[in-house]
Amino acid sequence: LELPTSDTKGMMESKVWTAYHCAKHLGSKLEPDSSVVFVAGILNRRPGINCAPLAMANGALEGLTRSLALEWGPSVRVNCLSPGFCDTERFDHMDPERKEQMLSNTAASLPLRKVGQPSDMGEAIYYLLTASFCT
């Protein structure tokens, strides 16, 4: 809870309220058999130290997803990707050696022994958008 409240509000605004407003204002314009995919994260189910705001935002987004799946189904499918640890630009500011050590340590703790890449998330999103039996 050390993150300034203004930063937490900004996170909720960008992650939750943006999705909510898109759903509210664009949902009625979706064609039958459409699909929507939101992206949350795993922190609401596997929280970490100093991650309460992001865990809260991810949980809210997953709740929105479940509600919309009920409200819009069966005409529109709604899913939420909650990726595990991914090497994204958020780590580009780190010292390269420190970043590599962090990624290596994290990978060693995961079942597949690797961290995700943005392309992995893209493939998962594509799957959720096109798999007619997922909501």
Side-chain angles (χ1 to χ4, degrees):
L1 298 177
E2 294 183 20
L3 189 67
T5 301
S6 61
D7 290 353
T8 301
K9 285 182 178 179
M11 185 180 306
M12 292 295 288
E13 183 68 36
S14 67
K15 192 156 202 142
V16 178
W17 288 110
T18 299
Y20 175 84
H21 289 297
C22 285
K24 179 176 180 149
H25 298 291
L26 299 176
S28 63
K29 297 173 179 15
L30 294 173
E31 298 286 326
D33 296 321
S34 294
S35 182
V36 173
V37 177
F38 297 114
V39 179
I42 198 162
L43 285 175
N44 65 308
R45 282 175 273 123
R46 289 184 56 198
I49 295 173
N50 297 322
C51 295
L54 191 52
M56 179 175 66
N58 288 339
L61 189 54
E62 288 188 16
L64 174 65
T65 301
R66 287 189 291 275
S67 295
L68 291 176
L70 290 172
E71 290 179 29
W72 291 352
S75 178
V76 175
R77 295 179 305 99
V78 185
N79 289 286
C80 185
L81 176 66
S82 292
F85 197 93
C86 290
D87 180 12
T88 63
E89 70 276 354
R90 71 181 169 186
F91 302 115
D92 288 350
H93 71 281
M94 295 177 72
D95 171 72
E97 283 185 31
R98 184 168 173 239
K99 177 182 173 183
E100 184 54 42
Q101 187 64 44
M102 177 197 65
L103 294 174
S104 178
N105 289 342
T106 301
S109 73
L110 299 172
L112 294 178
R113 303 290 187 253
K114 67 177 191 172
V115 298
Q117 297 297 316
S119 61
D120 297 320
M121 293 189 329
E123 289 174 12
I125 291 168
Y126 179 79
Y127 171 78
L128 291 172
L129 285 170
T130 59
S132 63
F133 194 65
C134 290
T135 196

